[in-house]
Amino acid sequence: MASVKDAVKETLVGVSREPQLSAQVKAHFERHSRKDEGTGEMFMTEEDFVAAIAPEGEDYHKIRRDQYAILFDVADRRRTGQLTLQDWATFENLLAKPDAEYEIAFRLFDVEGTGTVKYEDFQRLYNLNKGENSIPFDWDGEWATLYIGGKNKRHDMTYPQFSQMLRGLQGERVRQAFHIFDRSGSGYIEPEDFQRIILETSKHKLSDHVLENLPSLCNITTGSKISYANVRAFLNVIREMDLVDLIIRNATIKSGDRKITRTDFLNEAARIARFSLFTPMEADILFHFAGLDEPSGRLGLSDFVKVLDPSWRQPFFQSEDDATLDATHQVGSFGRKILRRFLESAYHFGLGSIAGAFGAFIVYPIDLVKTRMQNQRSQRVGERLYTNSIDCARKVIKNEGFRGLYSGVLPQLIGVAPEKAIKLTVNDLVRGMFTDKQTGQIWWPHELLAGGSAGACQVVFTNPLEIVKIRLQVQGEVSKTVEGTPRRSAMWIVRNLGLVGLYKGASACLLRDVPFSAIYFPTYNHLKRDYFGEGPNKKLGILQLLASGALAGMPAAYLTTPCDVIKTRLQVEARKGETRYSGLRHCAKTIYREEGLPAFFKGGPARVLRSSPQFACTLAAYEVLQNLLPMPGVDTASDLAVSPTTAGAGGGSMQPSVGLPYAKSPLPYLRSRNALKVILDLDEDFGRPKLPTKTGWLSLSGKNRPRTTTAGTSAGAP
């Protein structure tokens, strides 16, 4: 049964399959390898390897791109300076392991490939590659001997032992460095010494904002120096960054203005973390660095991202000498902004047109029944045609065929595209103008204004569309009751009415569309957010979007039915013996006098059945199309939350494809980057080119591999 179901699903919606791992590996290898002119075999040099796992154009920021060459020593198992397809496949397989980061570091120091790290090899590699001016580390100290044994009892380290040692190494490096700078043994060091310690031990894990403000840590107390307790608390915050991120996101979602205080953070931490609770000092340190530009103590995601994301950078400021150049850039930037806005408007207009036509076509038969019910008058000459909506639908099919349910659908589809596109675009535009850029919140009167503005703007297209559609919809019943009545085309109706006639009943159309949109759009957005829980950590599915649209359409459609009845009566051509309406007020008075109050709600259920699913389908299709056809150059992940990179004072930028909230770079690159972070816990200078030789990672063989020249031709070369 499952196979049949899968086959049907594949036939209807298609299926995408991941290529086999061997094909992926081979394609990746061939893309970056070169051909040996002597043997004809393909191979990778160190330069090719770096290009494969750390492509040019990425913003490596805290880890230099040339430091990725360290990993070549792990992939080059045979120590030949060249990687074959088998070597590359083995390295790719290693990257796919869940603990790849630590295993890569282990293999780097497992020189003989025996599955253990010898202390002598580890010590020599460490001394060869550490920075010349690095803060000394005592490998004969008490902490180190717990892992590698005393001077006379050294032992090899297995993979679990080695990885656990690396896990605690950073903290021990900081502890020993603190003792070195605390010459008097007072338990305090100068802020500048603290900054040097962190720069040498944790620079690759911290943002520019934190690194540049490290000396300010002394300000969380009344003194001018930094205690060891401050240092340990700072390290604990760094170590628990992922948990801190989760706590902050959950806490800000629950906050009305998307901002939290220190108390909010600690309360949410108590709810989430069972054992790893944060101390008051750790919370003080977090809020100190996050709140340097917002001293109120009430912070949002845009403040915390400067601490949480190591790739966050300060915005660039030009000097006064660059004023002329800056003005030139501003002119070009203004032109690009205008073009960008035009393209964005065209993009949303196109998606809105497709979504609007789709929604209108789905519910058009219901709309036809609604129109004929509203046009039926209880005091008309002759017999009543329909008793209710179901009877109307049945008689339409009987007298005009199934195609009769789609009478006038073509002009409806042509007109509804710009109508819905304008409505959706104007609503998004006005909401964006009044939405708080930091919190993502909007005051409810502004929501009503945005919806009402959208409804008012659409009347330019709605009224001509409605009057042509309605006359096409009712002419089917006229032809069955009045002999000799010719069937008119949409173009004939347009020519007969003229430009002024196409806007007959426009006031009633405004009276209907403005309150409809003012009710619909705020209700739709609140249902998504407050009932279905849409937020930074939750993206709604199609069924939830449909339900939100349908539920929002019910009150909006039914409450505006009286306006729709008046509009229909004004726009339909009066027949012989029927009252002719001279205007909006005359129409309303006449209907009430001749047919009573219930007449204003004729076709109300049919209107709900039509408008509710139509707008549900339209908005669901609009949001699905935005996901399926994202605008080029726009990060689709940002639609889950207000972008922390652009919101808030001070601006700033984040590393592409790596920063919060999600990392989207290829997994080999992410694994390689994380492995380097583990390795750089030993020393920040590992893999950096060293003068005067300009070589990077030094192996125990003493061979310094050249970066660029190996006999061969790049596979991608012409």
Side-chain angles (χ1 to χ4, degrees):
M1 184 66 181
S3 59
V4 175
K5 182 179 179 181
D6 293 339
V8 172
K9 180 179 178 182
E10 180 176 345
T11 303
L12 293 176
V13 300
V15 65
S16 60
R17 295 188 177 91
E18 292 290 335
Q20 296 297 316
L21 180 61
S22 58
Q24 287 181 326
V25 170
K26 187 175 181 181
H28 202 182
F29 178 80
E30 290 178 347
R31 190 180 308 120
H32 297 282
S33 61
R34 60 184 69 200
K35 188 175 183 179
D36 190 312
E37 296 177 352
T39 63
E41 294 183 355
M42 304 297 292
F43 67 93
M44 274 187 183
T45 63
E46 182 179 294
E47 180 187 19
D48 301 328
F49 174 82
V50 172
I53 65 170
E56 291 188 26
E58 288 281 356
D59 184 357
Y60 294 97
H61 195 30
K62 291 299 185 298
I63 301 176
R64 291 177 50 135
R65 184 170 178 264
D66 48 25
Q67 288 182 290
Y68 282 80
I70 295 175
L71 306 182
F72 184 82
D73 212 58
V74 177
D76 185 16
R77 300 172 299 155
R78 297 171 293 112
R79 302 293 187 264
T80 61
Q82 298 180 357
L83 298 186
T84 64
L85 175 59
Q86 290 72 28
D87 294 329
W88 175 253
T90 301
F91 183 74
E92 284 260 22
N93 181 260
L94 174 60
L95 290 177
K97 290 188 174 184
D99 57 344
E101 295 84 354
Y102 282 99
E103 188 162 345
I104 287 174
F106 176 78
R107 293 194 182 192
L108 182 67
F109 291 94
D110 180 15
V111 178
E112 298 179 4
T114 60
T116 59
V117 172
K118 298 182 180 300
Y119 169 74
E120 294 78 10
D121 294 340
F122 175 78
Q123 186 70 25
R124 289 166 60 195
L125 276 173
Y126 175 81
N127 290 331
L128 274 173
N129 291 282
K130 71 175 183 177
E132 294 182 1
N133 299 317
S134 297
I135 299 174
F137 183 80
D138 184 11
W139 288 101
D140 295 322
E142 182 179 353
W143 179 89
T145 59
L146 294 174
Y147 290 96
I148 58 179
K151 281 188 177 182
N152 300 323
K153 298 180 180 180
R154 302 293 193 198
H155 60 78
D156 300 342
M157 285 181 285
T158 63
Y159 170 55
Q161 292 171 337
F162 181 80
S163 57
Q164 199 61 45
M165 181 200 72
L166 289 182
R167 173 74 171 164
L169 178 63
Q170 187 181 53
E172 178 61 16
R173 287 186 66 198
V174 171
R175 189 190 70 82
Q176 290 192 19
F178 189 92
H179 276 297
I180 291 173
F181 289 108
D182 180 21
R183 299 175 182 84
S184 64
S186 64
Y188 290 89
I189 59 175
E190 296 294 334
E192 293 74 21
D193 295 332
F194 168 71
Q195 185 176 35
R196 183 186 172 188
I197 292 173
I198 299 303
L199 287 175
E200 289 202 20
T201 60
S202 308
K203 180 181 178 181
H204 55 288
K205 295 181 177 179
L206 299 175
S207 68
D208 285 352
H209 173 79
V210 174
L211 294 175
E212 292 171 2
N213 292 284
L214 285 172
S216 69
L217 183 63
C218 65
N219 293 331
I220 70 169
T221 61
T222 56
S224 61
K225 294 188 176 183
I226 295 175
S227 69
Y228 185 66
N230 297 147
V231 176
R232 291 304 307 181
F234 180 84
L235 289 180
N236 290 343
V237 172
I238 295 176
R239 175 168 290 186
E240 300 293 344
M241 278 295 193
D242 291 331
L243 179 57
V244 170
D245 179 29
L246 176 63
I247 293 170
I248 289 172
R249 288 185 177 277
N250 283 354
T252 52
I253 288 173
K254 297 175 182 178
S255 172
D257 60 356
R258 295 295 192 267
K259 293 186 177 183
I260 60 173
T261 63
R262 174 181 176 275
T263 302
D264 297 328
F265 172 81
L266 290 174
N267 289 339
E268 188 63 27
R271 295 187 187 100
I272 292 179
R274 295 183 179 180
F275 307 109
S276 180
L277 296 179
F278 291 88
T279 65
M281 182 179 289
E282 290 164 1
D284 288 339
I285 289 174
L286 173 63
F287 274 76
H288 166 73
F289 284 104
L292 287 172
D293 298 324
E294 184 62 44
S296 66
R298 191 165 185 83
L299 309 179
L301 279 177
S302 58
D303 301 306
F304 288 109
V305 74
K306 294 182 288 189
V307 178
L308 298 174
D309 180 24
S311 59
W312 191 92
R313 285 179 168 178
Q314 290 286 2
F316 177 75
F317 295 100
Q318 291 181 322
S319 64
E320 294 182 3
D321 295 335
D322 297 328
T324 304
L325 181 62
D326 182 64
T328 304
H329 281 306
Q330 286 183 3
V331 172
S333 176
F334 179 75
R336 286 192 296 270
K337 285 181 179 179
I338 295 297
L339 177 61
R340 176 78 179 175
R341 289 180 180 177
F342 173 77
L343 293 176
E344 285 181 351
S345 298
Y347 167 76
H348 289 293
F349 192 90
L351 294 189
S353 299
I354 298 172
F358 171 74
F361 185 82
I362 291 295
V363 300
Y364 190 81
I366 304 175
D367 184 59
L368 181 136
V369 171
K370 182 267 304 180
T371 300
R372 293 198 178 181
M373 287 298 298
Q374 289 181 340
N375 187 51
Q376 180 172 258
R377 310 187 189 188
S378 59
Q379 303 299 324
R380 65 186 304 175
V381 177
E383 187 179 339
R384 293 181 55 163
L385 287 177
Y386 317 117
T387 57
N388 53 48
S389 297
I390 297 176
D391 179 59
C392 177
R394 186 165 51 245
K395 288 182 178 178
V396 169
I397 296 174
K398 178 182 177 181
N399 297 327
E400 305 169 47
F402 183 77
R403 293 180 61 183
L405 292 173
Y406 283 91
S407 297
V409 70
L410 186 59
Q412 168 78 348
L413 295 182
I414 294 173
V416 80
E419 172 210 330
K420 292 295 185 289
I422 285 177
K423 176 183 284 191
L424 294 170
T425 302
V426 171
N427 178 69
D428 286 348
L429 178 65
V430 179
R431 283 184 69 91
M433 290 173 57
F434 290 107
T435 299
D436 189 307
K437 299 301 184 293
Q438 293 191 24
T439 66
Q441 299 294 300
I442 181 172
W443 190 33
W444 68 265
H446 291 157
E447 289 187 282
L448 296 177
L449 177 62
S453 301
C457 291
Q458 79 173 57
V459 173
V460 176
F461 286 94
T462 302
N463 207 81
L465 164 70
E466 289 278 328
I467 196 167
V468 174
K469 178 196 70 172
I470 286 172
R471 295 199 175 191
L472 287 172
Q473 286 178 337
V474 299
Q475 73 174 356
E477 69 180 21
V478 174
S479 65
K480 293 298 180 181
T481 58
V482 182
E483 293 185 6
T485 303
R487 295 186 69 89
R488 306 297 188 182
S489 67
M491 290 305 300
W492 185 92
I493 295 173
V494 171
R495 286 196 298 268
N496 184 60
L497 287 170
L499 181 61
V500 176
L502 285 173
Y503 284 92
K504 184 179 181 181
S507 56
C509 204
L510 276 171
L511 194 62
R512 179 199 64 176
D513 290 344
V514 171
F516 180 94
S517 297
I519 295 171
Y520 182 82
F521 282 109
T523 306
Y524 174 72
N525 282 286
H526 280 282
L527 281 170
K528 287 198 304 177
R529 187 185 66 201
D530 301 332
Y531 185 77
F532 290 105
E534 183 183 47
N537 295 326
K538 183 179 181 181
K539 189 174 183 181
L540 301 186
I542 296 178
L543 291 179
Q544 292 167 313
L545 293 174
L546 285 171
S548 299
L551 291 172
M554 291 179 182
Y558 195 78
L559 292 174
T560 56
T561 299
C563 304
D564 194 48
V565 171
I566 295 173
K567 179 195 70 67
T568 300
R569 296 288 182 91
L570 286 171
Q571 292 180 335
V572 171
E573 207 171 357
R575 302 172 200 168
K576 187 177 180 180
E578 293 180 341
T579 303
R580 291 183 179 273
Y581 306 115
S582 60
L584 184 69
R585 183 177 300 177
H586 176 253
C587 180
K589 286 182 177 180
T590 304
I591 293 173
Y592 180 74
R593 184 178 62 252
E594 295 181 354
E595 303 172 54
L597 185 63
F600 287 104
F601 289 91
K602 280 184 177 181
R607 179 168 162 77
V608 169
L609 289 175
R610 189 268 295 177
S611 298
S612 182
Q614 178 183 357
F615 276 86
C617 292
T618 298
L619 282 175
Y622 183 70
E623 298 202 25
V624 169
L625 284 171
Q626 282 183 313
N627 293 330
L628 293 178
L629 303 171
M631 184 174 177
V634 176
D635 184 5
T636 55
S638 65
D639 60 10
L640 287 178
V642 177
S643 173
T645 66
T646 57
S653 61
M654 295 194 331
Q655 183 174 343
S657 305
V658 178
L660 300 173
Y662 299 108
K664 305 178 294 301
S665 291
L667 190 59
Y669 164 58
L670 295 175
R671 291 283 196 194
S672 303
R673 182 203 63 188
N674 292 339
L676 278 176
K677 286 186 177 181
V678 173
I679 294 170
L680 294 181
D681 280 348
L682 286 162
D683 195 284
E684 281 283 341
D685 288 330
F686 273 16
R688 288 180 180 268
K690 298 175 177 60
L691 297 174
T693 61
K694 295 185 178 180
T695 55
W697 178 257
L698 300 175
S699 63
L700 291 184
S701 63
K703 297 177 181 179
N704 303 328
R705 292 182 296 275
R707 286 288 171 90
T708 56
T709 57
T710 304
T713 304
S714 173

